[in-house]
Amino acid sequence: MDRGTARTFVSLKLEDPNVSRFTEAQYNSAIELAEQQFALDTRALQKETTLTTVAAESEIALPSDFLVASLVRHKGLQLRPITKAELAFQAGVDWTTITGSPKAYYIDDQDEKIGLFPQPTSNDSGANLLLNYASFPAAISSDTTVLLNARAILANYHQSVVSFATFLLLVYLSASPEVLAKRNDCLGE
């Protein structure tokens, strides 16, 4: 289902076939937010990318659509997730100076990077870091853009995106018994 079709379905659920109760931009925004929430809740949009390690550099930029890591492997071996706080507590020294073959990874949300611990040495330079991750959907650029990155396997969930987009728009209406019932219906679909 493309955005134009999704907007039609949302408008019909809102009993607004002429798309006059809300602007087209509001409909489009609700559809995109609903799609992003679906990706966040389900982590259904999985990707794999290969990053390259560099000696004496522990952090590598994450892909721009990165949501959450599913699996991280260095030289074919799975790395375990860890936080910077755990590293500081467990190491007892300045953990950023410890070098060796990476055994764990952390995600730096502020700098949008994946960090490796210990810091890679020259023996690890150029090695592949395979990152499997859940991604945000691509931006919907036009009415012909198919929802959820046009993944055929996710087509059955397009109606869920439509229902949540409808719910998001219903939030702007006064909370009458009819509107509240429609909101509940949307969340139950």
Side-chain angles (χ1 to χ4, degrees), residues 38 42 44-45 147-159:
F38 178 86
T42 65
L45 295 173
L147 301 179
L148 301 173
N149 294 357
R151 297 254 177 106
I153 197 166
L154 298 176
N156 290 335
Y157 299 101
H158 291 176
Q159 281 299 331

Side-chain angles (χ1 to χ4, degrees), residues 8 12 17 19 24-25 29 38 42 49 55-56 63 89 108 110 123 142 186:
T8 299
L12 292 174
V19 187
E24 191 171 292
S29 179
F38 178 86
T42 65
T49 191
F89 178 75
D108 186 333
Q110 292 179 345
N123 293 337
S142 73
C186 289

Side-chain angles (χ1 to χ4, degrees), residues 1-3 5-6 9-10 13 31 34-35 38 45 145-165:
M1 173 184 312
D2 60 33
R3 182 178 69 188
T5 304
F9 280 123
V10 172
K13 284 179 167 285
I31 291 165
E35 184 186 46
F38 178 86
L45 295 173
T145 300
V146 178
L147 301 179
L148 301 173
N149 294 357
R151 297 254 177 106
I153 197 166
L154 298 176
N156 290 335
Y157 299 101
H158 291 176
Q159 281 299 331
S160 297
V161 172
V162 166
S163 291
F164 193 62

Side-chain angles (χ1 to χ4, degrees), residues 34-101:
E35 184 186 46
Q36 290 173 355
Q37 190 63 50
F38 178 86
L40 181 64
D41 290 344
T42 65
R43 299 179 182 179
L45 295 173
Q46 290 287 319
K47 289 186 175 183
E48 180 177 275
T49 191
T50 302
L51 306 171
T52 304
T53 57
V54 177
E57 289 188 28
S58 60
E59 294 189 337
I60 304 168
L62 289 166
S64 60
D65 61 350
F66 178 84
L67 178 60
V68 65
S70 306
L71 177 66
V72 179
R73 291 167 286 173
H74 179 257
K75 292 183 174 179
L77 299 174
Q78 182 175 347
L79 302 182
R80 65 183 175 87
I82 197 164
T83 66
K84 286 182 173 182
E86 287 176 287
L87 287 169
F89 178 75
Q90 291 176 6
V93 295
D94 182 2
W95 61 270
T96 62
T97 62
I98 299 172
T99 60
S101 192

Side-chain angles (χ1 to χ4, degrees), residues 97-163:
T97 62
I98 299 172
T99 60
S101 192
K103 304 281 186 258
Y105 74 92
Y106 60 89
I107 302 298
D108 186 333
D109 294 338
Q110 292 179 345
D111 292 334
E112 298 179 359
K113 293 183 178 185
I114 183 169
L116 303 175
F117 178 79
Q119 188 177 89
T121 64
S122 59
N123 293 337
D124 299 303
S125 185
N128 287 340
L129 181 71
L130 291 171
L131 172 63
N132 292 75
Y133 66 100
S135 69
F136 279 108
I140 301 175
S141 57
S142 73
D143 282 350
T144 58
T145 300
V146 178
L147 301 179
L148 301 173
N149 294 357
R151 297 254 177 106
I153 197 166
L154 298 176
N156 290 335
Y157 299 101
H158 291 176
Q159 281 299 331
S160 297
V161 172
V162 166
S163 291

